[in-house]
Amino acid sequence: MNKLVNDTVLDRLVKEDADEAVVASALELARSAFTAWKTVPISERSQLLRAVRSQLLNHMDEMVETIAEETGKVITEAIVSEVVVACEVLSYYASHAQDILHTRSVFPGLLIHKRACIRYEPLGVIGVISPWNYPLVLAIGPVATALAAGNSVILKPSEYTPKTGVLIAKLIARAGGPEGLVQVLTGHGPTGEALVRSGVDKIAFTGSVRSGKAVMRAAADHLTPVLLELGGKDPFIVCKDADLDRAARACVWGSFTNCGQTCMATERVYAVKEVYDIFLDKVLALTARLRQGNEPGDDVGAVIHEGQLGIIDSHLADALDKGARVAYGGKHVDVAGRPSIQPTVLLDVDHSMAVMTEETFGPLLPIMKVEDEDEALRLANDSRYGLNASIFAKDPRTIEKLVAGIRSGNVCVNDVMISYGIPALPFGGIGDSGFGRSHGPEGLKEMSHLKSVAEDRFGLGREPSWMPVPSWLSRAVKTGLRLLYRPGRAGLYNSTGQPLYVNGSRVES
Ligand code: NAD
C-alpha cells in the first residue's frame, strides 16, 4: 500500500476539514498521478476496477457496518442497495469501457474525400462530491467511471459519512491503485467549494438542489464543467388496471426504504378513483407490518440527523394545517439513539402542500385520489423536479402514453427505483433534478474529453474552396446542391438513413 493512503493517514483525515491549501496539494498529486494513469491501457484500468470489486467483497462486513453506523440505515439496505449496485457498476465498466471508449469512425457526408472519427480521451482530475444517503454507491460510481476513462480523482464525501469515503480509498489502494490516483478529502461544504474552485477538470456532484446551484456558481469562475445529480419528488401513478398487490408493495418499499431518504424515493402517489380504496387498504396493511429499528431483520432505519427530521416535520405540519390527515404513523420514534419518525401515510393531500411539491426526503407517503390517468399525468408533471417516476398499469397504450408524457430522466413501469440498479441505463434528471448522466455509456463519456478528428485522405495539393477561389466554384456548388437535394432525395443517405458511400465507395442497398 502506498504511504499516502495508508490506514492511519486516512483515519486521521476523518476528523479534519480540508482547507484550500490541502485541496491544492491534493490537486498537484492528482495531476502527477493522472500523467501516468492516462497512458495505462483501458484493459488494465478495467483490471483495477475488478480488483476493487474483490476488495469490496473481502471487506463487505466492514463496509456495511461503517455505512450503517454513519447513516442509521439497516444492514440489509446497505448490502442490497449499496454493495450490490457498487459491484454491478464496477463490473459493467470493467467489461464495457474498452468498447464504449474506442475511437469511432463517422461518415464524412459530402466530404467523401475525408476521414472522420471521434476519440474519447481522459479529462484530467475529476472532483467527486457525494451525499450521505448512499455513501458507498454514490461515491464509488463516479470514481469508477472517472478511473475507467483514464482520470485521477479527488473524492469529497459527505461530512456525515467520512469513514465510508475513506474506506473506499483504502479499498482502491489495497486493490493496487497507484499513489495519488484516488484521494479523499473530508470536510463540510467549504471543503467541497474549495475543491470546485481548485481548478479540477470536472466536478461530478450528487446532492441537494441548493448545494448544486452553489457548485455551479463556483464552477463558473473557472468554466469547470459540472455533472449535477440533484433531488427529486418522484411521482407514483396507479392506474385502474394495475396489479394492486404489486403496486402496494412497490409503493411501500419505494417510499420507506432508507427511511425515505432516497433521491428516487416514491414521494407522492396518484391513484385513480376506481382503485384508490383497495390500493390504500393494501398500503396501510403493509405499512402496519413494518419494523423500524437497527436490528437484523428490521425494515426501516433512522432519519440521518435532526436537521433532516426538522424538514420532514415541517412538511407534515404544513400538510396537516392545510387539511391532510394521518392514516398511519406520524409519531417521533428513537431509532438506536437517532430521533426519527415512523413510516407515515398521509391522505387528503393536494398540491398546495409542500409534501406534494418539495422534496421531503423522509418516510412520508402522501396518497392522492385522482379522476383518471390524465389527471395523474398532469399532476405528476406539476413539479420543478424530474428525476424518476413509477407507473403501474397493464394496458400497453396507457403505459406508452404515460412513459412518453412524463417529464423525468427515468421511468419505471410496474416497478420502482429499479432503473438505478441497471448499470447499462444512463441515470440523471431534468429540471431541478440536474443534468448530465451517470451509468451507461453516457456516464463514461461524461468523464471523457470528446475529440473530433477530420483527416484528408488523398493529399491533393489544394481543396476547391481554398483561395484563390476558382471562378467556376459557385455555379458548380449551386448546381450540385440542387441535384443532390432535389425533392424526394435524402442527399447522401439512403431511405433508412445509412450513408450511400463509405470510404469513397458506394454501399449496395
Ligand atoms: P447536500 O447538498 O447537503 O450535500 C452533498 C455534498 O455536497 C456533501 O458532500 C456536502 O458537504 C457538499 N456541499 C455542500 N455545500 C457545498 C458547496 N457549496 N460546494 C460544494 N460542495 C458542497 O446533500 P445531502 O443532504 O448530503 O444529500 C441529500 C440530497 O442529495 C437530496 O436532495 C437528494 O435528493 C440528493 N441526492 C441526489 C441523487 C441523484 O442521483 N440525483 C442521489 C442521492 C441524493
Side-chain angles (χ1 to χ4, degrees):
M1 191 186 297
N2 65 60
K3 70 178 169 24
L4 275 150
V5 286
N6 74 49
D7 288 6
T8 320
V9 172
L10 285 171
D11 287 339
R12 205 191 60 229
L13 272 177
V14 170
K15 302 185 189 75
E16 294 172 356
D17 270 28
D19 60 15
E20 278 173 29
V22 174
V23 173
S25 59
L27 183 62
E28 202 181 319
L29 183 64
R31 290 233 177 275
S32 88
F34 168 64
T35 307
W37 186 247
K38 70 178 178 187
T39 65
V40 169
I42 297 176
S43 57
E44 280 179 43
R45 297 181 207 155
S46 295
Q47 274 170 24
L48 177 64
L49 299 193
R50 291 194 185 99
V52 173
R53 184 184 61 194
S54 300
Q55 287 297 328
L56 177 57
L57 294 180
N58 292 345
H59 298 275
M60 183 156 34
D61 289 341
E62 185 186 358
M63 180 57 85
V64 295
E65 280 158 22
T66 306
I67 293 171
E69 176 205 322
E70 290 195 312
T71 62
K73 71 172 77 185
V74 293
I75 291 282
T76 328
E77 280 167 358
I79 297 171
V80 174
S81 303
E82 297 248 45
V83 178
V84 172
V85 182
C87 286
E88 278 287 280
V89 170
L90 288 163
S91 305
Y92 173 79
Y93 286 115
S95 305
H96 290 83
Q98 186 90 51
D99 182 44
I100 296 168
L101 296 179
H102 86 261
T103 299
R104 280 176 218 292
S105 294
V106 297
F107 179 54
L110 205 53
L111 303 176
I112 56 175
H113 57 307
K114 308 293 172 193
R115 235 180 246 117
C117 70
I118 305 165
R119 297 164 60 102
Y120 298 96
E121 298 180 353
L123 282 162
V125 181
I126 308 291
V128 173
I129 301 179
S130 55
W132 49 262
N133 64 330
Y134 290 89
L136 168 62
V137 77
L138 294 173
I140 210 167
V143 169
T145 39
L147 293 179
N151 306 286
S152 59
V153 179
I154 301 174
L155 165 65
K156 208 300 277 174
S158 166
E159 54 274 36
Y160 297 103
T161 54
K163 290 184 192 165
T164 307
V166 166
L167 187 49
I168 291 169
K170 285 183 188 175
L171 297 185
I172 294 169
R174 287 173 195 159
E179 190 161 307
L181 185 66
V182 176
Q183 299 170 72
V184 177
L185 297 181
T186 58
H188 292 71
T191 301
E193 180 157 352
L195 181 57
V196 178
R197 292 188 183 281
S198 66
V200 289
D201 299 287
K202 182 154 189 168
I203 287 288
F205 174 85
T206 308
S208 62
V209 176
R210 194 167 57 108
S211 308
K213 286 181 179 174
V215 164
M216 199 165 161
R217 276 193 294 271
D221 283 347
H222 289 282
L223 284 180
T224 304
V226 289
L227 161 63
L228 296 181
E229 299 281 12
L230 309 179
K233 187 74 194 171
D234 294 356
F236 185 110
I237 297 178
V238 188
C239 299
K240 57 178 174 291
D241 62 346
D243 174 340
L244 296 180
D245 285 315
R246 183 172 172 82
R249 285 192 198 102
C251 177
V252 167
W253 185 76
S255 195
F256 300 135
T257 189
N258 211 31
C259 204
Q261 301 161 119
T262 305
C263 57
M264 304 172 83
T266 297
E267 288 240 345
R268 52 198 171 113
V269 176
Y270 306 102
V272 298
K273 62 176 192 257
E274 289 89 342
V275 296
Y276 173 86
D277 289 331
I278 309 172
F279 172 74
L280 180 59
D281 286 348
K282 289 179 189 294
V283 167
L284 289 173
L286 288 165
T287 307
R289 281 167 41 199
L290 297 178
R291 293 152 302 183
Q292 190 169 21
N294 75 339
E295 296 298 324
D298 284 338
D299 303 295
V300 181
V303 172
I304 181 91
H305 52 61
E306 289 194 13
Q308 191 58 42
L309 185 59
I311 296 171
I312 300 165
D313 281 345
S314 72
H315 285 197
L316 180 58
D318 172 71
L320 297 180
D321 267 3
K322 291 173 178 162
R325 67 191 162 89
V326 172
Y328 186 87
K331 296 200 174 60
H332 278 187
V333 281
D334 180 277
V335 179
R338 288 176 194 258
S340 297
I341 186 165
Q342 294 172 312
T344 299
V345 179
L346 280 174
L347 306 180
D348 298 340
V349 289
D350 62 45
H351 277 219
S352 69
M353 302 168 185
V355 77
M356 295 299 280
T357 55
E358 299 297 322
E359 184 181 51
T360 306
F361 224 56
L364 300 189
L365 170 51
I367 305 182
M368 190 169 170
K369 188 195 288 188
V370 292
E371 196 56 33
D372 53 21
E373 281 83 10
D374 287 339
E375 187 182 15
L377 180 61
R378 183 180 61 73
L379 289 167
N381 284 341
D382 178 26
S383 173
R384 59 195 176 97
Y385 298 97
L387 193 54
N388 182 48
S390 290
I391 294 160
F392 280 76
K394 291 203 185 93
D395 179 0
R397 282 164 307 178
T398 310
I399 293 172
E400 174 53 28
K401 182 175 162 186
L402 293 176
V403 170
I406 273 185
R407 182 177 172 271
S408 72
N410 313 269
V411 185
C412 297
V413 179
N414 295 317
D415 223 315
V416 64
M417 281 202 245
I418 201 63
S419 54
Y420 196 80
I422 302 175
L425 274 181
F427 175 81
I430 190 169
D432 274 11
S433 293
F435 50 79
R437 290 295 181 266
S438 51
H439 292 186
E442 288 74 8
L444 198 47
K445 291 176 185 173
E446 281 279 348
M447 300 294 188
S448 306
H449 168 58
L450 189 154
K451 190 179 276 174
S452 297
V453 182
E455 185 183 348
D456 182 52
R457 294 175 64 216
F458 302 122
L460 302 175
R462 58 162 294 161
E463 297 286 319
S465 57
W466 288 358
M467 288 168 274
V469 179
S471 55
W472 50 263
L473 185 69
S474 303
R475 197 146 42 92
V477 170
K478 282 199 251 173
T479 310
L481 284 175
R482 285 185 188 121
L483 268 174
L484 188 62
Y485 299 125
R486 63 188 183 275
R489 290 295 301 263
L492 290 166
Y493 300 88
N494 69 17
S495 54
T496 60
Q498 298 303 310
L500 292 180
Y501 292 90
V502 170
N503 289 337
S505 310
R506 192 177 172 94
V507 179
E508 297 303 321
S509 49

Coordinates of all heavy atoms in Angstrom, one line a residue, residues 87-125:
C87 N -21.0 -3.3 -6.9 CA -20.4 -4.4 -7.7 C -20.9 -4.4 -9.1 O -20.1 -4.6 -10.0 CB -20.8 -5.7 -7.0 SG -19.9 -6.0 -5.5
E88 N -22.1 -4.1 -9.3 CA -22.7 -4.1 -10.7 C -22.0 -3.0 -11.5 O -21.7 -3.2 -12.7 CB -24.2 -3.8 -10.6 CG -25.0 -5.1 -10.4 CD -25.0 -6.0 -11.6 OE1 -25.8 -5.7 -12.5 OE2 -24.2 -6.9 -11.6
V89 N -21.9 -1.8 -10.9 CA -21.3 -0.7 -11.7 C -19.8 -1.0 -12.0 O -19.4 -0.8 -13.1 CB -21.5 0.6 -10.9 CG1 -20.7 1.8 -11.5 CG2 -22.9 1.0 -10.8
L90 N -19.1 -1.5 -11.0 CA -17.7 -1.8 -11.2 C -17.6 -2.9 -12.3 O -16.7 -2.7 -13.2 CB -17.0 -2.3 -9.9 CG -16.8 -1.3 -8.9 CD1 -16.5 -1.9 -7.5 CD2 -15.6 -0.4 -9.2
S91 N -18.4 -3.9 -12.3 CA -18.4 -4.9 -13.3 C -18.7 -4.4 -14.7 O -18.1 -4.7 -15.7 CB -19.4 -6.0 -13.0 OG -19.2 -6.5 -11.7
Y92 N -19.8 -3.6 -14.8 CA -20.2 -3.0 -16.1 C -19.1 -2.3 -16.7 O -18.8 -2.5 -17.9 CB -21.4 -2.1 -15.9 CG -21.9 -1.4 -17.1 CD1 -22.6 -2.1 -18.1 CD2 -21.5 -0.1 -17.4 CE1 -23.0 -1.5 -19.3 CE2 -21.9 0.5 -18.5 CZ -22.6 -0.1 -19.5 OH -23.0 0.5 -20.7
Y93 N -18.5 -1.3 -16.0 CA -17.4 -0.5 -16.6 C -16.2 -1.3 -16.9 O -15.5 -1.1 -17.9 CB -17.2 0.7 -15.8 CG -18.3 1.7 -16.0 CD1 -19.1 2.1 -15.0 CD2 -18.6 2.2 -17.3 CE1 -20.2 3.0 -15.1 CE2 -19.7 3.1 -17.5 CZ -20.4 3.5 -16.4 OH -21.5 4.3 -16.6
A94 N -15.9 -2.3 -16.0 CA -14.7 -3.2 -16.3 C -14.9 -3.9 -17.6 O -14.0 -4.1 -18.4 CB -14.5 -4.1 -15.1
S95 N -16.1 -4.3 -17.9 CA -16.4 -5.1 -19.1 C -16.7 -4.2 -20.3 O -16.4 -4.7 -21.4 CB -17.6 -6.0 -18.9 OG -17.4 -6.8 -17.8
H96 N -17.1 -3.0 -20.2 CA -17.6 -2.3 -21.3 C -16.7 -1.0 -21.7 O -16.9 -0.4 -22.7 CB -19.0 -1.8 -21.1 CG -20.0 -2.9 -21.2 ND1 -20.3 -3.7 -20.1 CD2 -20.8 -3.4 -22.2 CE1 -21.2 -4.6 -20.4 NE2 -21.5 -4.5 -21.7
A97 N -15.8 -0.7 -20.8 CA -15.1 0.6 -21.0 C -14.4 0.6 -22.4 O -14.4 1.6 -23.1 CB -14.1 0.8 -19.9
Q98 N -13.7 -0.6 -22.7 CA -13.0 -0.7 -23.9 C -13.9 -0.4 -25.1 O -13.6 0.4 -26.0 CB -12.4 -2.1 -24.0 CG -11.5 -2.3 -25.2 CD -10.1 -2.0 -24.9 OE1 -9.6 -2.5 -23.9 NE2 -9.4 -1.2 -25.6
D99 N -15.1 -1.0 -25.1 CA -16.0 -0.8 -26.2 C -16.5 0.6 -26.3 O -16.6 1.2 -27.4 CB -17.1 -1.8 -26.1 CG -18.1 -1.7 -27.3 OD1 -17.6 -1.7 -28.4 OD2 -19.3 -1.7 -27.1
I100 N -16.9 1.1 -25.1 CA -17.5 2.5 -25.1 C -16.5 3.6 -25.5 O -16.9 4.5 -26.2 CB -18.1 2.8 -23.7 CG1 -19.2 1.8 -23.3 CG2 -18.6 4.2 -23.6 CD1 -19.6 1.9 -21.8
L101 N -15.3 3.4 -25.2 CA -14.3 4.4 -25.4 C -13.5 4.3 -26.7 O -12.6 5.1 -26.9 CB -13.3 4.5 -24.2 CG -14.0 4.9 -22.9 CD1 -12.9 5.0 -21.8 CD2 -14.7 6.3 -23.0
H102 N -13.8 3.2 -27.5 CA -12.9 3.1 -28.6 C -13.2 4.2 -29.7 O -14.3 4.7 -29.7 CB -13.0 1.7 -29.2 CG -14.1 1.5 -30.2 ND1 -15.3 0.9 -29.8 CD2 -14.3 1.8 -31.5 CE1 -16.1 0.9 -30.9 NE2 -15.5 1.4 -31.9
T103 N -12.2 4.5 -30.4 CA -12.3 5.6 -31.4 C -13.3 5.2 -32.5 O -13.2 4.0 -33.0 CB -10.9 5.9 -32.0 OG1 -10.1 6.3 -30.9 CG2 -11.0 7.0 -33.1
R104 N -14.3 6.0 -32.8 CA -15.3 5.7 -33.7 C -15.2 6.5 -35.0 O -15.1 7.7 -35.0 CB -16.7 6.0 -33.2 CG -17.2 5.0 -32.2 CD -18.5 5.4 -31.6 NE -18.5 5.0 -30.2 CZ -18.5 3.8 -29.8 NH1 -18.5 2.8 -30.6 NH2 -18.4 3.4 -28.5
S105 N -15.2 5.8 -36.2 CA -15.3 6.5 -37.5 C -16.7 6.9 -37.7 O -17.6 6.2 -37.3 CB -14.9 5.5 -38.6 OG -13.5 5.1 -38.4
V106 N -16.8 8.1 -38.3 CA -18.2 8.6 -38.7 C -18.2 8.9 -40.2 O -17.1 9.2 -40.8 CB -18.6 9.8 -37.9 CG1 -18.8 9.4 -36.4 CG2 -17.7 11.0 -38.1
F107 N -19.3 8.9 -40.8 CA -19.5 9.2 -42.2 C -19.2 10.7 -42.5 O -19.8 11.5 -41.8 CB -20.9 8.9 -42.6 CG -21.3 9.2 -44.0 CD1 -20.5 8.6 -45.1 CD2 -22.4 9.9 -44.4 CE1 -20.8 8.9 -46.4 CE2 -22.7 10.2 -45.7 CZ -21.9 9.7 -46.7
P108 N -18.3 11.0 -43.4 CA -17.9 12.5 -43.5 C -18.9 13.3 -44.4 O -18.6 14.4 -44.7 CB -16.6 12.4 -44.2 CG -16.6 11.1 -45.0 CD -17.5 10.2 -44.2
G109 N -20.1 12.7 -44.8 CA -21.1 13.4 -45.5 C -20.6 13.8 -46.9 O -20.0 12.9 -47.6
L110 N -20.8 15.0 -47.3 CA -20.4 15.5 -48.6 C -18.9 15.3 -48.8 O -18.5 15.2 -50.0 CB -20.9 16.9 -48.7 CG -21.2 17.5 -50.1 CD1 -22.1 16.6 -50.9 CD2 -21.7 18.9 -50.0
L111 N -18.2 15.4 -47.8 CA -16.7 15.4 -47.9 C -16.2 14.0 -47.9 O -15.5 13.6 -47.0 CB -16.1 16.2 -46.7 CG -16.6 17.7 -46.6 CD1 -16.1 18.3 -45.3 CD2 -16.3 18.5 -47.8
I112 N -16.5 13.3 -49.0 CA -16.2 11.9 -49.0 C -14.7 11.7 -49.2 O -14.3 10.5 -49.1 CB -17.0 11.1 -50.1 CG1 -16.8 11.8 -51.5 CG2 -18.5 11.1 -49.8 CD1 -17.4 11.0 -52.6
H113 N -14.0 12.7 -49.5 CA -12.5 12.5 -49.6 C -11.8 12.8 -48.2 O -10.6 13.0 -48.2 CB -12.0 13.5 -50.7 CG -12.3 14.9 -50.4 ND1 -13.5 15.4 -50.2 CD2 -11.4 16.0 -50.4 CE1 -13.5 16.7 -50.0 NE2 -12.2 17.1 -50.1
K114 N -12.6 12.8 -47.2 CA -12.0 12.9 -45.8 C -12.3 11.7 -45.0 O -13.3 10.9 -45.3 CB -12.7 14.1 -45.1 CG -12.6 15.4 -45.8 CD -11.3 16.0 -46.0 CE -11.2 17.2 -46.9 NZ -9.9 17.5 -47.4
R115 N -11.5 11.5 -43.9 CA -11.8 10.5 -42.9 C -12.2 11.3 -41.7 O -11.6 12.4 -41.4 CB -10.5 9.7 -42.6 CG -10.7 8.3 -42.7 CD -9.4 7.6 -42.4 NE -8.8 6.9 -43.6 CZ -7.7 7.3 -44.2 NH1 -6.9 8.2 -43.7 NH2 -7.3 6.6 -45.3
A116 N -13.2 10.8 -40.9 CA -13.6 11.5 -39.7 C -13.8 10.5 -38.6 O -14.3 9.4 -38.8 CB -14.9 12.2 -40.0
C117 N -13.3 10.9 -37.4 CA -13.5 10.0 -36.2 C -13.7 10.8 -34.9 O -13.4 12.0 -34.9 CB -12.4 9.0 -36.1 SG -10.8 9.8 -35.6
I118 N -14.2 10.1 -33.9 CA -14.4 10.7 -32.6 C -13.5 9.9 -31.6 O -13.6 8.6 -31.6 CB -15.9 10.5 -32.1 CG1 -16.8 11.2 -33.2 CG2 -16.1 11.2 -30.8 CD1 -18.3 10.8 -33.0
R119 N -12.7 10.6 -30.9 CA -11.9 9.9 -29.8 C -12.4 10.3 -28.5 O -12.9 11.5 -28.3 CB -10.4 10.4 -30.0 CG -9.8 10.1 -31.3 CD -8.5 11.0 -31.4 NE -7.6 10.8 -30.3 CZ -6.5 10.0 -30.4 NH1 -6.2 9.5 -31.6 NH2 -5.7 9.9 -29.4
Y120 N -12.3 9.4 -27.5 CA -12.6 9.7 -26.1 C -11.4 9.7 -25.3 O -10.8 8.7 -25.1 CB -13.6 8.7 -25.6 CG -14.9 8.8 -26.4 CD1 -15.1 7.9 -27.4 CD2 -15.9 9.7 -26.1 CE1 -16.3 7.9 -28.2 CE2 -17.0 9.8 -26.9 CZ -17.2 8.9 -27.9 OH -18.4 9.0 -28.7
E121 N -11.0 10.9 -24.8 CA -9.7 11.0 -24.0 C -10.1 11.4 -22.6 O -11.1 12.0 -22.3 CB -8.8 12.0 -24.7 CG -8.5 11.6 -26.1 CD -7.6 12.6 -26.8 OE1 -7.3 13.7 -26.3 OE2 -7.1 12.2 -27.9
P122 N -9.2 11.1 -21.7 CA -9.4 11.5 -20.3 C -9.5 13.0 -20.1 O -8.8 13.7 -20.9 CB -8.3 10.9 -19.5 CG -7.4 10.1 -20.4 CD -7.9 10.4 -21.8
L123 N -10.2 13.5 -19.1 CA -10.3 14.9 -18.9 C -9.1 15.4 -18.0 O -8.6 16.6 -18.2 CB -11.6 15.2 -18.2 CG -12.8 15.3 -19.0 CD1 -14.1 15.1 -18.2 CD2 -12.9 16.5 -19.8
G124 N -8.7 14.6 -17.0 CA -7.7 15.1 -16.1 C -8.0 14.6 -14.7 O -8.1 13.5 -14.4
V125 N -8.2 15.6 -13.8 CA -8.6 15.3 -12.4 C -10.1 15.6 -12.2 O -10.6 16.7 -12.5 CB -7.8 16.2 -11.4 CG1 -8.2 15.8 -10.0 CG2 -6.3 16.0 -11.7

